[in-house]
Structure formats: C-alpha cells, structure tokens
Amino acid sequence: MKKRLLSATAVAFFGLMLNAQQIKFEEYDLPNGLHVILHQDNSAPVVTTGVMYHVGAKDEVKGRTGFAHFFEHLLFEGTPNIKRGDWFKIVSSNGGQNNANTTNDRTYYYETFPSNNEQLGLWMEAERMRHAVINQIGVDTQREVVKEEKRLRMDNQPYGNLFPTIQKNLFTNHPYNWPTIGSMEDLNAAKLEEFQAFYKKFYVPNNATLVVAGDIKPEQTKKWIQEYYGGIPKGTVYPKDFPKDAPITQEKEVTATDPNIQLPAYVFAYRTPANKEKDAYVLDMLSSYLSNGKSSVLYKKLVDQEKKALQVAAFNQGLEDYSIFAFFAIPMGQTTKQTLQADIDAEIKKLQTTLISEEDYQKLQNQFENQFVNQNSSIQGIAASLATNHVLMGDTNLINKEIDIYRSITRQDIQNAAKKYLNPNQRIIINYVPEKK
C-alpha cells in the first residue's frame, strides 16, 4: 500500500512538472515576411536573440558546396556600423555570448545578453541581415578558418569522415549527398560575386525567423523589432524543389578508408522518412531501445556481455527531407564484420517479429518524458527549439506537444517501423577501414 501511495504521489508530482513545462509564446509576421517569435520569462535577467535562416548545405549546388557553413563564419566579419573584428568584442564587453551553427537544412545565429542589453542584440542581428560586409578580405580570411576547421574536425580526426561517407552513399540525387562543411576545392574556386549573390538570395527577412526569449517586455521588444527590421526589404524565396532519390531496393556494399584509424568500423545505413513524419519519431524511439545507455539491447549484448564490439550504436539523424537511420560498430579483438552483422540483424529480426516487452516500452516512455522535461532548461535552449520547430517542423507549438507524439507511439508501431524500414535490401553497408600504409 505504501509503495502504491508513493507511486501515485510521484506521478502527481511528475504531472505538475509537465504542466509547468508549458512554454508560452506569441508569433507574428512583419510585412517584409520576417517571422517573429517572442517568449517572455522574467525569472532571470537574460535575453537570447536568435535568427534562423532557412538555408543549409542542401541549398547549395554541386561544384559550390560549403557556402551555408562558410556564411556561419563570414557573417561575423562586420557591417558598415560594426567594424571588422569588433563583433565578438562588442558582445563580450557587454556581458554577452554568441555563436552560430549550420546543418544541412538551416543556419542559426544568436546572442545572449543581460536583459538590459536586449536592444543591442536585436540591433546586431538586424545589421547582419540588412547589410553584412562581404568583401575579398573577409572571404580570404574565413576560407583559411574553415580549412583549419575541416582539418581539425574531419581530416585529422579518427572516423572524422565517416558521416560524410554515409551521406555520399545513401543519397545520389538529393543534395544531402555532401557534408555541411562542403568541399575546400569548391570554396577555393568560388568568386567574390558568388558569395555576394548567395547572401542576397538567402539572407532575407522572408527566409528568416527571429526569436527573442527571456526577460523581455513584449511591447517594447515589438517596437525595437519594427524599428530595426521593419525597413529591411524582402527578397525572393525560391521553392525548395530538390531532386528525389529512388527507394533503395537492393543491398549495396562499399569500402572507404581513413588514415587516422587502426580499427575498422562497419555501418549499416538506411534512408528513412523526413523528421516531420510520425515514423521518424518511432525510429527515434527504436534507436534508443537498441543503443541508448548501458542497459540497451545492443550495448548489453555486444559490448558488455559477449565482448564482441568495442563500440556499437544505432542512431536516427532526423532531417527535413529524409532521415538517416544507421547502425555503427567497431569490432573487439578478432570479431569479424560477419559476426557483428549477424548479431545486429538478429536484433532487427526480433523487433520485426516480436513486440518489445511492456517493461522495455515503459522504460522508453520514461526516457522520452525525462528528455522532454529537460530539453528546454535554459533560455538559449528554448529560443533554439522555438525557431527550429517553426522553420523545420512547421509548428512552433511542438515545443509543448512533441511529447504527446512519443506518448502515442505503441509497441506495435515500433514493430511496424522495423518491418517497413530496416530490411537488408533497403541498406547500404559501409566498410570503413584503416588506410594501408
């Protein structure tokens, strides 16, 4: 009886936590097409100003890859009102921090300031949108920065080019075919006018979402937004009509080499539905069941108990047009690829033929509930989630209701997804091996 009472109390407390998690916001559009999202939280004196542009690596063209990521660096070079080299100085001297990041689908810039500098953050992002300086000095400087980043993160890093190898082989027509960082040859060959044209095409208000979150007074914030952004002319937003890839119907095996590794890695990769689709959420849950934590199926079997793998993982990389589901394994000792493949295939077959246990299902639900409660624990995190949900998911309010999608997933859904997407004839096998010296 005591245990039951304790459980009921815990459930009630958790329910309160979930209700408290509701994040209020308002959103509207300026006449120039800029989408604005405001979230007021006066519990701490900080404000994050973020702008997400709906441009990523997939918006580039073959022969000129890497532009979106390059702009993540280039747009800190300055404006007519912010001298070259002053951007970071202005932010840090006013008690703030800032950063930017790029994916295949979008680019995001943000500043977090003490709330008495909210106006400064709004002005700086408007400067970036209105008239960033793009000249030869900036292009040449940032080219070298990006080259060094590629050397550090990919070319000289063990397994650093593994994910680009997956992309290259999983997509043949769609521009997910190349990595976000792109090709250094493409960036070297590009002329200044091409960078300027890219900026004019994509960095326009009607291709952007502005989010302001934190200790704000909404009416004052709206006045500043109108003052700084209202006069920026709208651009032409082109339809995202990318080439499609035909379904994979026959297993394909490829080999790639890496000079920085001593142990091979084996990858079994599948092209799966875009992250807006419910099945993408199901596959997310399925990947957690297989390899999230030391008690997960694959880790427990292959790493902990049987000592066949040094590392094993199943991951689901959600993207706007497709997603990537892949198994990754590094063998231990004399374990062969065939052994790892057979063990992974056996776990897939179990998922396809038997419902996971009620206990494992409840554990999964608890994991995702916990993740939901924790994922927006900072103003920066809330700002990024609001912008992402609007730009890539088409629904800002997913920040409050995404957990309901996971709650609606059944054990049967997990089995159906395994049957539908994880068959041998739907995959690419990548043997990622050490380069012979």
Side-chain angles (χ1 to χ4, degrees):
M1 174 66 96
K2 188 175 179 183
K3 186 176 179 184
R4 204 186 223 167
L5 185 62
L6 197 63
S7 175
T9 306
V11 167
F13 177 69
F14 199 67
L16 286 172
M17 284 176 69
L18 287 179
N19 288 333
Q21 182 77 4
Q22 285 289 316
I23 291 166
K24 294 180 180 176
F25 61 90
E26 64 172 303
E27 55 189 332
Y28 62 97
D29 291 329
L30 293 184
N32 60 9
L34 177 68
H35 189 73
V36 178
I37 305 171
L38 304 180
H39 164 65
Q40 183 179 9
D41 179 349
N42 304 117
S43 60
V46 294
V47 174
T48 292
T49 299
V51 179
M52 188 170 286
Y53 294 91
H54 202 176
V55 54
K58 75 165 186 277
D59 295 282
E60 301 152 0
V61 294
K62 240 173 210 176
R64 287 297 180 266
T65 62
F67 272 48
H69 170 262
F70 191 74
F71 268 77
E72 176 197 316
H73 294 264
L74 189 61
L75 293 192
F76 285 101
E77 279 286 309
T79 75
N81 299 310
I82 301 173
K83 288 181 186 173
R84 185 168 183 268
D86 277 3
W87 191 285
F88 296 100
K89 290 179 191 172
I90 292 169
V91 173
S92 60
S93 66
N94 283 279
Q97 54 177 269
N98 66 294
N99 215 329
N101 51 72
T102 312
T103 70
N104 293 89
D105 299 311
R106 94 295 179 274
T107 310
Y108 182 56
Y109 303 84
Y110 67 90
E111 287 80 29
T112 299
F113 280 113
S115 50
N116 61 342
N117 279 321
E118 175 194 348
Q119 186 177 5
L120 177 61
L122 286 166
W123 174 77
M124 291 183 80
E125 285 303 330
E127 281 286 297
R128 196 195 314 262
M129 187 185 294
R130 183 186 293 275
H131 47 202
V133 171
I134 298 167
N135 58 25
Q136 198 63 52
I137 296 172
V139 167
D140 292 342
T141 302
Q142 296 307 328
R143 239 191 221 125
E144 295 311 308
V145 171
V146 172
K147 284 181 188 175
E148 182 57 28
E149 181 183 347
K150 187 171 187 291
R151 283 191 287 266
L152 187 68
R153 292 191 178 180
M154 298 171 76
D155 299 340
N156 298 328
Q157 181 85 2
Y159 308 100
N161 281 299
L162 180 60
F163 194 73
T165 303
I166 296 172
Q167 289 179 267
K168 179 181 175 183
N169 287 284
L170 209 52
F171 301 99
T172 51
N173 296 318
H174 192 281
Y176 286 153
N177 175 263
W178 53 79
T180 304
I181 204 163
S183 153
M184 296 308 101
E185 291 76 18
D186 290 354
L187 291 175
N188 283 335
K191 303 284 190 293
L192 177 62
E193 302 78 56
E194 294 176 83
F195 291 109
Q196 291 168 337
F198 193 85
Y199 174 70
K200 286 177 185 172
K201 182 175 182 180
F202 292 108
Y203 286 81
V204 293
N206 44 327
N207 195 45
T209 292
L210 167 68
V211 59
V212 190
D215 185 23
I216 65 173
K217 295 175 180 171
E219 292 314 309
Q220 176 60 70
T221 301
K222 288 176 186 177
K223 286 175 185 173
W224 284 329
I225 290 171
Q226 181 58 42
E227 180 183 348
Y228 296 136
Y229 296 86
I232 302 175
K234 67 160 50 178
T236 302
V237 175
Y238 299 87
K240 292 180 179 288
D241 189 19
F242 301 112
K244 304 286 190 294
D245 271 304
I248 297 169
T249 55
Q250 189 172 353
E251 185 177 84
K252 176 184 169 187
E253 189 162 350
V254 298
T255 298
T257 61
D258 186 331
N260 304 306
I261 64 174
Q262 295 179 318
L263 295 172
Y266 303 111
V267 176
F268 309 91
Y270 305 77
R271 195 190 313 134
T272 52
N275 59 8
K276 279 184 188 176
E277 296 188 33
K278 184 176 178 180
D279 277 352
Y281 290 91
V282 179
L283 288 163
D284 207 16
M285 199 168 260
L286 194 155
S287 73
S288 286
Y289 169 76
L290 288 168
S291 73
N292 185 13
K294 293 188 176 180
S295 64
S296 61
V297 172
L298 288 175
Y299 185 93
K300 194 172 179 182
K301 177 181 169 68
L302 295 178
V303 178
D304 190 23
Q305 294 175 346
E306 298 181 6
K307 307 288 190 292
K308 291 179 181 176
L310 186 67
Q311 196 175 337
V312 66
F315 66 88
N316 184 52
Q317 176 68 49
L319 297 165
E320 189 176 19
D321 296 344
Y322 294 99
S323 294
I324 296 169
F325 191 100
F327 295 90
F328 164 86
I330 298 176
M332 175 80 87
Q334 299 303 308
T335 307
T336 64
K337 184 197 88 171
Q338 287 71 24
T339 298
L340 292 174
Q341 183 174 335
D343 282 332
I344 288 170
D345 282 350
E347 292 306 326
I348 295 172
K349 185 54 93 177
K350 276 187 201 171
L351 281 167
Q352 292 173 332
T353 55
T354 311
L355 293 176
I356 67 171
S357 72
E358 189 62 51
E359 184 183 353
D360 284 335
Y361 173 73
Q362 196 52 57
K363 179 181 160 189
L364 274 178
Q365 287 289 345
N366 292 343
Q367 283 177 357
F368 280 87
E369 296 248 4
N370 187 52
Q371 180 181 304
F372 173 74
V373 170
N374 291 324
Q375 69 184 350
N376 295 306
S377 58
S378 70
I379 288 298
Q380 277 186 6
I382 289 170
S385 292
L386 288 167
T388 300
N389 287 333
H390 172 72
V391 174
L392 299 184
M393 307 298 282
D395 183 359
T396 313
N397 197 39
L398 274 176
I399 199 167
N400 290 314
K401 63 184 185 182
E402 197 166 42
I403 189 59
D404 295 328
I405 299 173
Y406 287 111
R407 284 175 178 153
S408 74
I409 293 169
T410 64
R411 293 188 296 156
Q412 187 67 58
D413 290 333
I414 292 170
Q415 184 183 65
N416 292 345
K419 281 183 183 176
K420 188 173 181 180
Y421 301 109
L422 303 183
N423 298 298
N425 67 316
Q426 295 171 296
R427 71 185 174 194
I428 308 290
I429 299 174
I430 298 170
N431 305 311
Y432 195 81
V433 300
E435 190 175 282
K436 289 180 181 172
K437 304 261 169 129

